[in-house]
Amino acid sequence: MANQAAVNVHIENSWARLKTPLHRVMDFSMDLNDKNPLDAAIYVDLYTICYNFCRAAVRDQRRYPAFYSKVEQLFAEIAHNRQLQLAPSRDIPTLLPEIISSFDKYEIGARLVARLLLQFDHHYIARDMSEKTNRAISPSLKLWGYDEVDPSSATSKSARASAEAASSQYIIPITSLARRRFRIELVEPLLTESTVNTGASAGEGSSTQALGPTPFIIALEDS
């Protein structure tokens, strides 16, 4: 087993090669019709980096949590930067279409990132999603339309992904992790601020709690 310094170097080197291309994948200026914004050769190179990283991590699993944190931080940075761009649009009627359009582009990128990190998802996330995670999201599954009779149905899978994205912690799959950061970094701050401002200007107080999750739910259901 390598010493911690060597593990840290390996993580940083792997991430240094991945971060810029992954940012490109998550570019909000992308064409929604372009499902693969990366050149095939770059895609293969990135997938190879992830695959080799996971092969090394199988032998020394200290690499996994740090890498997971870097992926989460990537999604957080991208969603937060987009939130800052949308912040000047204060009113909700203006914000809702912008948020949903942003989510559509973000989701395309997140799904591509998840494919690139498929080995990581398989070797670490799927294995380490503990009973604690499942217990945490179970109470909300029915609210999202989960069918206990047919847990493998598309509706049940969508409900589980939505419940994972609505969680506040725990290890969850890459696409659900991306959605969670989008909710936390972009949707909630924008709607909270906009609803407060709208309520204050109308003299009616805030209705943030009722409006907060709406565009996120719509975007997930329409994706």
Side-chain angles (χ1 to χ4, degrees):
M1 181 178 293
N3 61 42
Q4 189 61 52
V7 168
N8 293 340
V9 168
H10 183 236
I11 293 170
E12 294 300 327
N13 287 343
S14 297
W15 188 248
R17 297 175 64 190
L18 286 169
K19 184 174 182 179
T20 298
L22 292 183
H23 265 282
R24 180 182 169 188
V25 168
M26 302 292 296
D27 186 355
F28 282 103
S29 66
M30 74 170 68
D31 180 352
L32 281 175
N33 294 317
D34 184 4
K35 303 299 184 182
N36 293 293
L38 288 180
D39 177 81
I42 297 176
Y43 183 93
V44 170
D45 185 48
L46 291 178
Y47 186 87
T48 301
I49 295 169
C50 295
Y51 179 82
N52 289 338
F53 176 86
C54 289
R55 287 287 300 273
V58 167
R59 297 189 298 272
D60 186 349
Q61 298 183 13
R62 290 174 296 173
R63 292 169 168 81
Y64 284 135
F67 194 79
Y68 185 86
S69 295
K70 288 185 178 296
V71 174
E72 182 170 18
Q73 184 60 35
L74 171 80
F75 291 138
E77 288 175 2
I78 291 165
H80 179 69
N81 289 340
R82 184 58 174 167
Q83 183 263 324
L84 294 178
Q85 293 172 353
L86 296 180
S89 301
R90 301 287 185 176
D91 59 296
I92 287 180
T94 301
L95 273 174
L96 290 183
E98 292 286 350
I99 290 174
I100 293 172
S101 174
S102 295
F103 178 80
D104 288 341
K105 295 180 179 181
Y106 180 90
E107 178 81 344
I108 290 173
R111 288 183 182 277
L112 182 51
V113 170
R115 289 201 297 272
L116 284 165
L117 299 176
L118 183 63
Q119 292 294 324
F120 180 70
D121 223 342
H122 173 72
H123 285 289
Y124 174 58
I125 297 172
R127 189 200 64 213
D128 278 29
M129 280 187 63
S130 63
E131 284 301 316
K132 187 175 182 180
T133 303
N134 292 326
R135 286 198 304 271
I137 66 172
S138 289
S140 64
L141 285 174
K142 285 188 177 181
L143 297 175
W144 294 97
Y146 187 82
D147 184 357
E148 293 181 344
V149 177
D150 189 5
S152 62
S153 68
T155 299
S156 293
K157 290 179 181 178
S158 176
R160 173 169 286 277
S162 296
E164 290 166 351
S167 68
S168 59
Q169 52 183 337
Y170 308 117
I171 295 169
I172 54 177
I174 295 293
T175 50
S176 297
L177 178 65
R179 292 171 175 178
R180 181 165 72 189
R181 297 318 309 184
F182 188 89
R183 170 180 63 83
I184 293 171
E185 303 292 340
L186 188 148
V187 175
E188 292 176 354
L190 284 178
L191 288 194
T192 299
E193 183 176 357
S194 296
T195 307
V196 168
N197 289 340
T198 301
S201 62
E204 298 174 351
S206 172
S207 58
T208 304
Q209 188 173 14
L211 290 172
T214 303
F216 186 65
I217 295 171
I218 293 172
L220 285 179
E221 291 178 345
D222 289 348
S223 63

